[in-house]
């Protein structure tokens, strides 16, 4: 009898280990998006761009069931310039899109690390072009430091209370001899989504940003709303950043966004958007404006694969220098105009 028990111990250990691993899961996921792009301005530029419809990236995420409704979670996500195979952060493949570990439960979610801000996540739904490609809004990153991701971040996301959710972040500045406010970032977002309606309000503050060599405090506010009529989904958003440079007058950067997405048949979507940008040149602090009009069509070949085409027109005013394709050979016309077309393929996994 003892020999049988001893012989069965390895099998019992394997069964126990299997049960433990059944409590955990790790998933590889991502998106690859390539688009042939032609931009016409002062000259004509053409090339292959990554992320014409949705950013290219890959990631690993996993969860472990800790019991009593509590779970541990990690996410590691790396951006890709799919046209070259390089990482999109400029320093090779890394996890600059997201690198977090956290806990999930009835209280919501708490995570630590680098991640998109709560404000950006909440407002992202109000751009029908997914903040990507020549049609995407440039509301985040108007030549200043109010980027959409932060290092050294503590994040919280509440449970869903009948369509109402709350999220907040605090990101440490991690400066020598600093207080909790030095170079710190904090934000909060309240969102409602129920049936065809959605609405969001978000507020942010970035301390001690160096803009144009000046120590600047930035406070941003954003509003968004959408309604799905069935035949067409309408969205609108507004974002304003109040910049307070040390020893200089305050100034405001603003973006207005309107968008529509209409299903065509069982697999197609027609998209249109308008963005109005009011920003300031960091060298002279002169007010500049730009208007962006975009029209696109997306055809879903499956749940994970889609073909798409986008046309966008950009008109700068008052000496503005915004471009539809950053870091390319495309230049503006003498009157500050650009036209661009993208045709691409997206596959998610």
């Amino acid at each position: 009898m003892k020999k049988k028990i001893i012989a069965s111990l390895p099998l019992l250990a394997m069964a126990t280990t299997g049960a433990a691993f059944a409590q955990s899961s790790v998933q590889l996921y991502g998106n690859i998006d390539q688009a042939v792009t032609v931009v016409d301005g002062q000259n004509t530029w053409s090339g292959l761009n990554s992320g014409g419809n949705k950013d290219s990236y890959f990631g690993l995420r996993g969860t472990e069931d800790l019991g009593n409704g509590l779970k541990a979670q990690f996410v590691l996500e790396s951006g890709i310039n799919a046209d070259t195979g390089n990482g999109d952060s400029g320093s090779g493949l890394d996890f600059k899109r997201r690198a977090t570990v956290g806990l999930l439960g009835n209280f919501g979610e708490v995570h630590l690390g680098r991640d998109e801000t709560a404000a950006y996540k909440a407002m992202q739904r109000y751009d029908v072009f997914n903040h990507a490609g020549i049609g995407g809004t440039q509301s985040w990153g108007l030549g200043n430091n109010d980027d959409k991701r932060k290092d050294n971040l503590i994040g919280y996301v509440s449970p869903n209370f009948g369509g109402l959710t709350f999220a907040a972040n605090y990101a440490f500045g991690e400066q020598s001899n600093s207080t909790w406010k030095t170079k710190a970032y904090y934000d909060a977002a309240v969102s409602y989504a129920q049936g065809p309606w959605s609405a969001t309000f978000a507020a942010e503050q970035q301390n001690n940003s160096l803009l144009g060599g000046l120590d600047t405090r930035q406070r941003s506010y954003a509003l968004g709303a959408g309604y799905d009529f069935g035949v067409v989904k309408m969205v609108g958003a507004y974002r304003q950043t109040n910049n307070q440079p040390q020893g200089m007058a305050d100034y405001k950067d603003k973006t207005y966004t309107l968008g529509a997405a209409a299903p065509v048949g069982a697999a197609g979507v027609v998209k249109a958007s308008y963005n109005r940008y009011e920003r300031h040149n960091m060298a002279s602090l002169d007010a500049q404006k730009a208007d962006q009009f975009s029209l696109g069509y997306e055809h879903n070949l499956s749940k994970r694969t889609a073909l798409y085409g986008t046309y966008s027109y950009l008109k700068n005013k008052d000496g503005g220098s915004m471009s539809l394709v950053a870091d390319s050979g495309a230049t503006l016309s003498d009157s500050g105009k650009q036209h661009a077309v993208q045709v691409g393929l997206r596959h998610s996994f």
Side-chain angles (χ1 to χ4, degrees):
M1 186 67 178
K2 290 181 180 180
K3 290 181 179 179
K4 290 182 179 180
I5 293 174
I6 293 172
S8 67
L9 286 177
L11 295 176
L12 290 172
M14 290 176 63
T16 304
T17 303
F21 280 122
Q23 308 284 331
S24 303
S25 66
V26 177
Q27 177 188 7
L28 173 68
Y29 68 95
N31 183 72
I32 302 296
D33 184 319
Q34 306 267 25
V36 175
T37 305
V38 179
V39 185
D40 184 56
Q42 183 66 33
N43 58 0
T44 300
W45 178 90
S46 61
L48 192 66
N49 284 100
S50 177
N53 178 264
K54 186 179 180 181
D55 291 346
S56 295
Y57 60 90
F58 77 93
L60 292 168
R61 58 185 167 214
T63 60
E64 180 188 13
D65 192 340
L66 303 175
N68 299 316
L70 187 65
K71 292 183 179 180
Q73 178 194 62
F74 79 87
V75 181
L76 295 171
E77 194 170 288
S78 176
I80 306 170
N81 287 324
D83 52 331
T84 63
N86 297 329
D88 72 353
S89 67
S91 58
L93 289 176
D94 50 31
F95 296 108
K96 284 292 189 180
R97 281 181 63 90
R98 182 168 178 176
T100 61
V101 63
L103 295 173
L104 299 85
N106 295 330
F107 56 86
E109 175 187 343
V110 175
H111 55 269
L112 312 174
R114 176 176 172 83
D115 194 11
E116 291 177 341
T117 66
Y120 177 75
K121 287 182 180 180
M123 292 297 298
Q124 193 174 18
R125 74 184 78 183
Y126 301 113
D127 178 17
V128 296
F129 286 96
N130 305 316
H131 288 243
I134 60 173
T137 182
Q138 298 183 41
S139 177
W140 263 259
L142 284 177
N144 50 30
N145 196 38
D146 59 338
D147 54 300
K148 59 190 179 185
R149 293 184 176 87
K150 297 295 179 183
D151 297 336
N152 312 311
L153 179 145
I154 301 173
Y156 171 74
V157 182
S158 76
N160 190 315
F161 300 103
L164 190 68
T165 56
F166 169 79
N169 296 148
Y170 172 76
F172 293 92
E174 293 195 352
Q175 298 296 301
S176 177
N177 300 318
S178 68
T179 68
W180 67 276
K181 291 184 177 181
T182 307
K183 286 194 176 294
Y185 168 88
Y186 30 98
D187 73 347
V190 179
S191 300
Y192 177 79
Q194 190 81 331
W197 279 104
S198 71
T200 292
F201 172 74
E204 309 166 78
Q205 178 164 315
Q206 173 68 62
N207 293 332
N208 308 101
S209 294
L210 284 177
L211 303 179
L214 299 174
D215 187 358
T216 304
R217 182 175 66 181
Q218 294 178 298
R219 288 175 172 168
S220 299
Y221 308 92
L223 285 167
Y227 189 85
D228 192 342
F229 294 91
V231 295
V232 62
K233 181 179 181 180
M234 302 294 298
V235 295
Y238 170 76
R239 186 168 190 249
Q240 173 179 302
T241 298
N242 300 339
N243 300 280
Q244 298 175 297
Q246 188 176 27
M248 295 186 65
D250 300 352
Y251 64 93
K252 299 177 181 179
D253 292 330
K254 304 175 183 179
T255 304
Y256 305 83
T257 301
L258 291 173
V264 178
V269 180
V270 173
K271 303 176 180 180
S273 73
Y274 166 70
N275 284 277
R276 168 77 168 190
Y277 306 107
E278 298 178 3
R279 55 161 294 186
H280 288 74
N281 180 287
M282 291 310 304
S284 63
L285 294 185
D286 292 335
Q288 299 174 339
K289 299 176 182 178
D291 296 298
Q292 177 187 2
F293 301 88
S294 302
L295 180 66
Y297 175 72
E298 180 178 332
H299 188 82
N300 294 292
L301 302 175
S302 71
K303 291 183 177 181
R304 298 188 295 140
T305 304
L307 290 166
Y308 63 88
T310 306
Y311 166 78
S312 193
Y313 167 76
L314 180 70
K315 168 64 174 176
N316 283 280
K317 302 176 182 179
D318 303 322
S321 57
M322 293 183 66
S323 178
L324 291 171
V325 180
D327 303 322
S328 73
T331 57
L332 299 170
S333 70
D334 291 338
S335 57
K337 297 178 182 178
Q338 270 188 347
H339 301 261
V341 175
Q342 283 186 323
V343 178
L345 175 66
R346 168 181 58 78
H347 176 74
S348 299
F349 57 91

